Amino acid sequence: MLDVEKVHKKFDGQEVLSGVSLHVDKGDVITILGPSGSGKTTLLRCISFLERADSGWMDFAGTGVDMHRAGKKQVLALRRRMGFVFQSYNLFANKTALKNVTEGLIIARRMDRKAAAEIAESCLQRVGMWEKRDSYPHQLSGGQQQRVAIARAIAGDPEVVLFDEPTSALDPELVGEVLQVMRSLARDGMTMLVVTHEMRFARQAANKVILIDGGHIVEAGRPQEFFVSPRTERARQFLDLLCRENDAAQ
């Protein structure tokens, strides 16, 4: 469904992505793991054209595009087929939960208000936030804000949703409610690319795990293989470090 090939990206002369290639099938839930600064978020942002890749090629369900040279119309057309969930929610502070979901449908997709409201109701119901539809972001917990952000991301019926560390800004007790929504989407067959540090989600909900380090994919495979018998020394080091950090936290 989605292929990205040989994606390169530099910031201030420092190469952050060094020829990354990725294949996504319809219904895949792919977790992207790696240390800070490894290029995980940059990869998502290049796929969604929030950052412009220095070079690379994308094929999205038969639509091919040069990731560096794509024109504005091409980019807008591709973005309409994707949803993006940010680490920091990115909700409109002066709009209710309901209006945060309907705004993009009305303005970007030129949908009439009644149809947009019906879709927003369905999406807010899906993430357990319909009862909070008239609340403003400052009246919601971080977990509730992120669930509204997920409702907004799925309102356009995207073919793939990209999640950029969706729980990293949350207090620990609020992480579970967001992961529960994401697991539900995964069970429903939503195609998802998820940058995360949540190893339990990667084990239980994903069907593929990718480890990025130094701008390269150093290992990719099924969760049961990656977590039980990683093939590369770098993956073993990464998992050992996570185990030590978890032990220290306890």
Side-chain angles (χ1 to χ4, degrees), residues 132-203:
K132 297 287 187 179
R133 61 190 177 277
D134 295 322
S135 298
Y136 290 86
H138 74 272
Q139 298 171 314
L140 303 173
S141 70
Q144 290 172 330
Q145 289 184 63
Q146 193 61 294
R147 284 190 280 156
V148 173
I150 293 173
R152 179 181 60 189
I154 65 176
D157 193 26
E159 295 169 56
V160 60
V161 180
L162 313 180
F163 293 81
D164 181 20
E165 300 193 26
T167 61
S168 64
L170 301 178
D171 292 333
E173 64 268 22
L174 302 177
V175 169
E177 65 187 63
V178 174
L179 292 180
Q180 183 178 354
V181 169
M182 294 172 64
R183 290 190 188 98
S184 175
L185 295 177
R187 288 193 297 269
D188 290 344
M190 178 74 72
T191 305
M192 301 160 64
L193 277 174
V194 185
V195 169
T196 184
H197 293 292
E198 296 294 335
M199 295 301 108
R200 184 175 296 181
F201 178 85
R203 282 177 177 267

Side-chain angles (χ1 to χ4, degrees), residues 52-183:
R52 181 71 68 153
D54 295 330
S55 63
W57 181 262
M58 175 188 292
D59 187 297
F60 196 166
T63 300
V65 61
D66 184 313
M67 296 174 70
H68 179 67
R69 301 180 183 279
K72 184 176 180 180
K73 288 184 178 179
Q74 288 178 303
V75 169
L76 289 174
L78 287 167
R79 279 183 177 169
R80 288 192 181 102
R81 301 169 67 180
M82 304 178 189
F84 200 105
V85 178
F86 297 88
Q87 177 180 335
S88 55
Y89 328 134
N90 281 23
L91 299 179
F92 295 111
N94 63 337
K95 297 185 184 300
T96 65
L98 179 64
K99 288 185 178 179
N100 263 283
V101 179
T102 60
E103 191 79 1
L105 298 174
I106 294 169
I107 294 177
R109 296 176 183 266
R110 299 182 180 179
M111 190 176 293
D112 69 73
R113 292 186 180 277
K114 181 179 179 181
E118 290 174 354
I119 291 172
E121 176 178 355
S122 174
C123 292
L124 288 170
Q125 292 274 16
R126 194 172 180 183
V127 301
M129 288 297 295
W130 179 241
E131 292 183 358
K132 297 287 187 179
R133 61 190 177 277
D134 295 322
S135 298
Y136 290 86
H138 74 272
Q139 298 171 314
L140 303 173
S141 70
Q144 290 172 330
Q145 289 184 63
Q146 193 61 294
R147 284 190 280 156
V148 173
I150 293 173
R152 179 181 60 189
I154 65 176
D157 193 26
E159 295 169 56
V160 60
V161 180
L162 313 180
F163 293 81
D164 181 20
E165 300 193 26
T167 61
S168 64
L170 301 178
D171 292 333
E173 64 268 22
L174 302 177
V175 169
E177 65 187 63
V178 174
L179 292 180
Q180 183 178 354
V181 169
M182 294 172 64
R183 290 190 188 98

Side-chain angles (χ1 to χ4, degrees), residues 222-235:
R222 295 184 300 171
Q224 51 268 48
E225 297 169 346
F226 178 84
F227 288 104
V228 175
S229 55
R231 298 188 302 274
T232 63
E233 179 61 25
R234 183 65 188 94

